[in-house]
Amino acid sequence: MKRMRTILLWGVCFLVIAAAGSASAAEKGGVLRVAVIDEPPTLDQHVVTSDLTTMIAQHIFEGLYTFDSKYSPVPFLVKAEEIKDDGKTVVLSLREGVKFHNGKELDAEDVLASLERWGKFGARGPVLFSNLEKVEATGKFEVTLTFKAPFAPWKNLLAFMNGGPVIYPKEVASSAEKTPITPEQYIGTGPYKFAERNPGRYIKLVRNDDYAARTEDADGYAGKREALFDEIRFIPVPDVGTRVNGVKAGDYDYAEQILGDLFDSLKGDPSVVTTVNQGANQGLMFFNSREGVLKDNFKLRQALQAAVNMEPVLQAAIGPAELWKASGSFMPETTLWYSKAGLDKFSANNPELAKKLAKEAGYNGEKITLMASTSYKFHYDSTLVIVKQLQAAGFNIDHQIYDWATLISKRGDPSQWDIFFTHHGFVPDPILFTFMSESYPGWWTTETKRALAAEFAGTLDEAKRREVWDRIQALIYEEVPVMKTGDHFTYDIYSPKVKGLSASSLIWPKFWGVSFGK
């Protein structure tokens, strides 16, 4: 009898396992068609910061670290890390058995060649490498980073794939310079492989059946990645109406970056699902710290800051309330960097205080040149409202409108402007904000800022870093090198037949772990 029960138990187990395997197999297959806004210039992650490039390339290439759903950097191609010498030495042990798409096993020589190319020619590499004394392959599967002094953001920089250090085979990385690598060199370790670029029509990826996945549960970009589609095709569809109607008609399965004006109607449309990107963008007005009436007149900048009310700015520029938030924290609430420091000065909507501060600043109606671009509609719409508010508070604003290329050219000349409007995408570490760079137009270089920035980069203790960032944000509201309008969010749509997408994408939508759910 006991033997019979054992046989029956094993039989039930077999059926459960077989059913589970059958369900998993049934989820595989099909071609996912993704309508994107344009063609990416290249898929070479080292040298460009295009979000479109990253959205596609993250399925092919992988890095040493990535971000989980809390935007914390966690190991990916790295198995373990050891930090020594008070943070000056970092020893990285690599996962073994990870193979490139050409069948070669990844090792420390590949990582070394990739980091060296990225550090010399990459879009963000010099930020890390200017703090490094050396990088060495100290074993077949071990790489050691030696810093000149403790440099806290190193892990965030290694985890941020946009313009980041993905790992190529040594044969590709060691011969590459600033010019993007060619499509036949798109050899990564990711769950999908590059297959074809048909200009003007699509970029095709195919499933990597030899993929070496991590075993942890998927969490943000971290953990297990599983390719379930046979193919993914990224199809350039510049017209947003065509992208929307294409998903409704079944020509595409996913479409990115839909207009805010359509959000309310699409949200209630059963033929599509809307998904809001959690990684906030933010409108920013940069103040000229090198020349002009605002150069070092912080009280006059505070006067301008006191005059504005950001809610009508965001309503006019972005539209539906679900797609924006009048938040003055430079990092979103979903991150550990969220701060309330200085927020009493954000969106004060106090014209009388503005006039009082302007008088104390010695302002006598001098012209203040504010540049904006019509290339980004929300830039222009934002500044229309802001200029009216500033003029109502007594400021003499010269609102100059340009195409984006002209504005970029002019903002490099400090004699031509006092304020310009732009926007900033999500970054996982505040040190990556452009206003933290002394070379970015605006040129915020006060001694207080410089000292705090050095303390922020050189402090390894996370709690201490957050405290320093609080002080930097408070200083921003005192010296006003930039003025933030608020957070706003892009959104995408997809067919209800697509299963496995999270309720909100973090920065770039990802299609591993996603299927047609047959």
Side-chain angles (χ1 to χ4, degrees), residues 347-383:
S347 190
N349 188 25
N350 192 337
E352 294 309 312
L353 175 61
K355 292 174 183 176
K356 175 177 177 293
L357 291 170
K359 184 177 181 181
E360 292 173 3
Y363 180 65
N364 291 306
E366 294 90 341
K367 183 178 71 176
I368 297 174
T369 301
L370 190 159
M371 299 194 305
S373 172
T374 50
S375 299
Y376 292 95
K377 186 173 182 297
F378 76 91
H379 287 196
Y380 176 66
D381 291 346
S382 296
T383 55

Side-chain angles (χ1 to χ4, degrees), residues 37-107:
I37 58 171
D38 208 339
E39 289 190 74
T42 173
L43 297 186
D44 185 350
Q45 275 288 258
H46 283 185
V47 297
V48 297
T49 57
S50 159
D51 285 327
L52 182 53
T53 290
T54 302
M55 182 177 72
I56 301 172
Q58 65 179 339
H59 298 84
I60 307 170
F61 307 111
E62 297 175 326
L64 299 174
Y65 288 82
T66 192
F67 291 104
D68 66 15
S69 58
K70 303 295 183 187
Y71 299 105
S72 296
V74 295
F76 202 78
L77 292 175
V78 160
K79 179 175 65 180
E81 65 190 31
E82 183 183 6
I83 300 173
K84 303 188 293 188
D85 303 332
D86 296 325
K88 289 178 64 176
T89 302
V90 177
V91 181
L92 303 177
S93 299
L94 306 175
R95 290 166 55 207
E96 300 181 24
V98 175
K99 291 186 177 180
F100 286 105
H101 298 152
N102 61 6
K104 175 194 159 189
E105 185 179 20
L106 176 146
D107 64 25

Side-chain angles (χ1 to χ4, degrees), residues 14-28:
F14 173 79
L15 290 172
V16 170
I17 292 169
S22 176
S24 177
E27 291 180 347
K28 286 189 175 181

Side-chain angles (χ1 to χ4, degrees), residues 151-164:
F151 182 64
W154 67 268
K155 200 182 298 186
N156 280 329
L157 286 165
L158 292 181
F160 196 48
M161 289 298 97
N162 181 252

Side-chain angles (χ1 to χ4, degrees), residues 25 38 44 50 63 77 99 126 155 178 221 227 299 338 365 408 427 463 474 476:
D38 208 339
D44 185 350
S50 159
L77 292 175
K99 291 186 177 180
K155 200 182 298 186
K178 192 169 184 60
Y221 297 104
K299 184 152 285 188
Y338 175 76
I408 287 178
V427 291
I476 291 171

Side-chain angles (χ1 to χ4, degrees), residues 297-376:
N297 192 336
F298 300 142
K299 184 152 285 188
L300 182 53
R301 296 181 184 190
Q302 291 168 10
L304 293 161
Q305 182 175 252
V308 295
N309 177 2
M310 292 308 182
E311 288 203 4
V313 173
L314 292 161
Q315 286 170 348
I318 307 301
E322 290 168 87
L323 298 181
W324 58 266
K325 186 173 185 179
S327 170
S329 170
F330 282 82
M331 296 296 286
E333 288 187 54
T334 51
T335 70
L336 58 86
W337 301 107
Y338 175 76
S339 172
K340 295 182 179 178
L343 295 191
D344 58 314
K345 298 180 177 64
F346 172 73
S347 190
N349 188 25
N350 192 337
E352 294 309 312
L353 175 61
K355 292 174 183 176
K356 175 177 177 293
L357 291 170
K359 184 177 181 181
E360 292 173 3
Y363 180 65
N364 291 306
E366 294 90 341
K367 183 178 71 176
I368 297 174
T369 301
L370 190 159
M371 299 194 305
S373 172
T374 50
S375 299
Y376 292 95

